[in-house]
Amino acid sequence: MATTTAERRMIKLAMSAPYLERDEEQALAQAWKNNHDQEARNRIAMAHMRLVVSMAGKFRNFGLPLSDLVQEGYIGLLEAAARFEPERQVRFSTYASWWIRASVQDYVLRNWSIVRGGTSSAQKALFFNLRRLRARLARGDTRLTAEAMHQEIAAAIGVSTADVRTMDARLSSSDISLQAPISPNEGEGASRIDLLASEAPLPDEQAEGSIDGERRHHWLYSALGELNEREMKIIRARRLAENGATLEELGVLLGISKERVRQIENRALEKLKAVLVSKTTDFAYA
């Protein structure tokens, strides 16, 4: 990937920033932490921009602009500066490296593909190390099959072989739009979306379902006509309402015990079943 003029200028600026001695770094970190001195934080950040550029460059093989990777790394650098605890006597570069790498990796995972990748630590390790491990295994044993290679990588990273196989396929190809045209040899004016199989029922299945639904609806309401007023009220409240009433609620409403409501409900259901079975045996087992 060619380096643009803006990227070269950014790299030159980062490399020209002066280094900080340990004592000076500690003083600036204390000024930022204790007094919220923005100038002190900015000096720490600028002194470590070369670290951001260096780490961002390691992810250029994923096809994303270096300037974007550096920008995300700078966000991680500022986060590290905000959380740094100088009293631990650790150099800021050691602490910031983790934040810069995490920020750049998250950016790559979000933007490398329109398909969201795995977010677990094992999946991230697989995404960023698969190519390197595959190349190393290929150099070590040229007779190694793809499946054996996947098994070796899965054992090294701690994921399943299926995960390695899926990730390998994703990294080996780029995203393709469903609106992309098909080769003229495969069909003139057609796009890839035209080849997707529909999961909707076939027209004859839709017609059959509509007719059967109307028939069953008619049978059900015909059977409900066989119930007396109290049975109808209980069945409507318990079985036909969106939020069915409880036995206790209906007992209070009708002035009877909830056990009596249950008995009436069971009797009504038996009536409905008898009527429906008499109309069609098939419906009773549908």
Side-chain angles (χ1 to χ4, degrees), residues 62 112 122-138 146 149-154 157 159-172:
F62 291 96
W112 178 80
Q123 286 291 324
K124 288 181 180 180
L126 175 61
F127 179 85
F128 288 109
N129 293 294
L130 176 59
R131 288 172 174 168
R132 178 179 58 81
L133 292 173
R134 185 176 56 190
R136 189 178 69 186
L137 290 171
M149 191 177 297
H150 290 163
Q151 291 174 359
E152 292 274 356
I153 295 172
I157 297 180
V159 296
S160 67
T161 306
D163 286 340
V164 177
R165 194 180 302 116
T166 300
M167 187 67 72
D168 196 11
R170 288 190 59 202
L171 291 175
S172 300

Side-chain angles (χ1 to χ4, degrees), residues 89-154:
Q89 299 299 314
V90 176
R91 290 306 299 262
F92 179 74
S93 59
T94 303
Y95 179 76
S97 296
W98 296 97
W99 286 95
I100 296 169
R101 182 182 293 107
S103 184
V104 175
Q105 285 182 343
D106 285 345
Y107 176 77
V108 172
L109 285 172
R110 291 196 311 270
N111 294 276
W112 178 80
S113 170
I114 59 175
V115 180
R116 181 65 172 168
T119 56
S120 68
S121 57
Q123 286 291 324
K124 288 181 180 180
L126 175 61
F127 179 85
F128 288 109
N129 293 294
L130 176 59
R131 288 172 174 168
R132 178 179 58 81
L133 292 173
R134 185 176 56 190
R136 189 178 69 186
L137 290 171
R139 287 195 303 268
D141 186 355
T142 56
R143 297 169 300 174
L144 203 63
T145 65
E147 184 62 24
M149 191 177 297
H150 290 163
Q151 291 174 359
E152 292 274 356
I153 295 172

Side-chain angles (χ1 to χ4, degrees), residues 53 90 98 103 195 211 232:
V53 174
V90 176
W98 296 97
S103 184
L195 301 181
I211 294 172
M232 175 69 78

Side-chain angles (χ1 to χ4, degrees), residues 10-265:
M10 175 182 61
I11 294 172
K12 183 178 180 180
L13 179 63
M15 295 305 176
S16 64
Y19 286 98
L20 294 177
E21 296 295 335
R22 188 182 188 96
D23 292 341
E24 185 180 9
E25 178 181 289
Q26 284 286 315
L28 291 172
Q30 290 287 358
W32 161 246
K33 182 178 180 181
N34 299 330
N35 305 320
H36 296 286
D37 187 339
Q38 295 284 344
E39 180 61 26
R41 187 198 67 171
N42 292 341
R43 285 186 60 189
I44 294 176
M46 282 305 301
H48 291 84
M49 274 302 295
R50 58 172 54 83
L51 178 61
V52 173
V53 174
S54 174
M55 297 190 71
K58 297 177 181 179
F59 296 89
R60 296 188 65 181
N61 290 335
F62 291 96
L64 299 172
L66 178 62
S67 57
D68 290 350
L69 296 172
V70 171
Q71 184 176 14
E72 291 298 318
Y74 184 67
I75 293 174
L77 179 65
L78 293 180
E79 186 69 24
R83 294 172 178 267
F84 185 58
E85 298 178 0
E87 62 272 10
R88 293 183 178 273
Q89 299 299 314
V90 176
R91 290 306 299 262
F92 179 74
S93 59
T94 303
Y95 179 76
S97 296
W98 296 97
W99 286 95
I100 296 169
R101 182 182 293 107
S103 184
V104 175
Q105 285 182 343
D106 285 345
Y107 176 77
V108 172
L109 285 172
R110 291 196 311 270
N111 294 276
W112 178 80
S113 170
I114 59 175
V115 180
R116 181 65 172 168
T119 56
S120 68
S121 57
Q123 286 291 324
K124 288 181 180 180
L126 175 61
F127 179 85
F128 288 109
N129 293 294
L130 176 59
R131 288 172 174 168
R132 178 179 58 81
L133 292 173
R134 185 176 56 190
R136 189 178 69 186
L137 290 171
R139 287 195 303 268
D141 186 355
T142 56
R143 297 169 300 174
L144 203 63
T145 65
E147 184 62 24
M149 191 177 297
H150 290 163
Q151 291 174 359
E152 292 274 356
I153 295 172
I157 297 180
V159 296
S160 67
T161 306
D163 286 340
V164 177
R165 194 180 302 116
T166 300
M167 187 67 72
D168 196 11
R170 288 190 59 202
L171 291 175
S172 300
S173 60
S174 58
D175 296 332
I176 300 176
S177 172
L178 290 176
Q179 303 299 329
I182 301 173
S183 170
N185 296 331
E186 299 180 31
E188 186 175 355
S191 58
R192 294 182 181 276
I193 196 171
D194 297 325
L195 301 181
L196 292 181
S198 174
E199 296 181 357
L202 296 175
D204 56 336
E205 293 175 338
Q206 294 180 6
E208 181 181 353
S210 177
I211 294 172
D212 286 348
E214 291 179 2
R215 184 181 296 124
R216 293 179 181 184
H217 181 83
H218 173 73
W219 286 339
L220 177 59
Y221 275 85
S222 175
L224 287 172
E226 301 294 324
L227 303 181
N228 60 42
E229 183 179 352
R230 188 158 63 170
E231 291 170 340
M232 175 69 78
K233 184 176 294 186
I234 291 174
I235 290 297
R236 285 189 181 278
R238 291 274 294 161
R239 303 288 177 166
L240 303 181
E242 184 174 351
N243 296 314
T246 65
L247 295 173
E248 187 174 1
E249 289 171 344
L250 286 174
V252 173
L253 179 65
L254 300 174
I256 56 179
S257 68
K258 64 179 183 180
E259 176 60 24
R260 181 57 181 157
V261 174
R262 187 188 64 78
Q263 293 173 357
I264 296 174
E265 179 186 20

